[in-house]
């Protein structure tokens, strides 16, 4: 008996629950939610009005939401078989990094105010949003982003495997 069959035996409503959850939102809504939580994490990095303990509590909650939204969105998209979320995650995290690298490599003579503004906005998206998590683990922000992308890919694959295994179980039940 495989692990999926054991899970299906212990939690017979799990496949139906996943199917209901996957039908409630569209892929673009999951992408928008991930972007919104990422921007919220980034903007609270610059919050100085609230007391430090309140800001730290909000940042902690947002860091958890940040991870949950991205990882659950990846799993759900894998379960649906929608590769758009995986492409979106890769573009969302790598394109700003490329803009930052382009602006940093320009030098003084190649300074462009639009490239500088784009690099500052890109730092806001990538570096500021993952800064709290990076400080919590004591690693550079780049490592957090790379690990997030790797976990998204792994959970996307897990979602595709869950869908395939649960459909196989359903087909076996229909034939018996």
């Amino acid at each position: 008996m495989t692990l999926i069959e054991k899970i299906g035996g212990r939690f017979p409503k799990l496949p139906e629950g996943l199917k209901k959850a996957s039908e409630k939102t569209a892929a673009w809504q999951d992408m928008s939610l991930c972007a919104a939580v990422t921007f919220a994490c980034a903007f609270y990095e610059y919050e100085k009005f609230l007391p430090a303990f309140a800001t730290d509590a909000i940042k902690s909650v947002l860091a958890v939401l940040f991870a949950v939204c991205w990882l659950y969105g990846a799993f759900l998209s894998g379960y649906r078989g929608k590769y758009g979320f995986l492409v979106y995650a890769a573009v969302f995290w790598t394109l700003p990094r490329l803009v930052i690298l382009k602006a940093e490599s320009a030098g003084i003579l190649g300074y462009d105010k639009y490239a500088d503004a784009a690099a500052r906005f890109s730092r806001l998206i990538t570096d500021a949003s993952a800064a709290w998590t990076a400080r919590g683990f004591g690693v550079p922000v780049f490592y957090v982003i790379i690990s997030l992308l790797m976990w998204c890919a792994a959970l996307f694959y897990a979602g595709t495997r869950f869908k395939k295994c649960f459909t196989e179980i359903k087909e076996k039940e229909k034939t018996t």
Side-chain angles (χ1 to χ4, degrees):
M1 181 176 269
T2 65
L3 178 65
I4 297 296
E5 291 172 341
K6 288 179 183 177
I7 291 172
R10 290 187 182 164
F11 305 103
K13 303 229 178 208
L14 183 63
E16 290 85 23
L18 282 173
K19 187 174 181 183
K20 278 185 182 177
S22 70
E23 292 172 351
K24 286 186 180 180
T25 60
W28 68 269
Q29 291 172 324
D30 294 337
M31 293 176 199
S32 299
L33 177 66
C34 290
V37 169
T38 303
F39 288 137
C41 289
F43 293 139
Y44 263 99
E45 230 6 77
Y46 298 105
E47 175 61 48
K48 302 292 183 211
F49 182 72
L50 295 174
F53 70 91
T55 306
D56 289 347
I58 291 170
K59 287 179 187 177
S60 298
V61 169
L62 284 174
V64 170
L65 284 175
F66 173 75
V68 167
C69 287
W70 277 99
L71 299 178
Y72 181 69
F75 177 80
L76 204 57
S77 295
Y79 186 79
R80 292 178 188 150
K82 305 288 184 185
Y83 288 90
F85 186 87
L86 207 53
V87 172
Y88 170 76
V91 169
F92 187 89
W93 291 105
T94 56
L95 188 64
R97 183 61 56 190
L98 294 174
V99 170
I100 293 168
L101 291 174
K102 172 81 169 109
E104 286 177 352
S105 67
I108 294 174
L109 295 176
Y111 177 78
D112 180 18
K113 63 181 177 182
Y114 300 112
D116 185 49
R120 288 177 187 255
F121 182 71
S122 296
R123 276 190 199 93
L124 174 72
I125 293 171
T126 57
D127 296 349
S129 62
W132 181 256
T133 307
R135 280 194 302 272
F137 287 117
V139 297
V141 173
F142 183 71
Y143 292 168
V144 171
I145 293 169
I146 293 299
S147 64
L148 176 71
L149 284 173
M150 288 175 21
W151 275 104
C152 281
L155 283 173
F156 184 88
Y157 178 71
T160 59
R161 297 298 302 162
F162 257 74
K163 178 74 170 190
K164 182 179 178 185
C165 291
F166 281 135
T167 54
E168 288 175 3
I169 290 171
K170 287 287 188 186
E171 289 174 3
K172 284 181 185 178
E173 288 177 356
K174 287 180 183 177
T175 59
T176 11

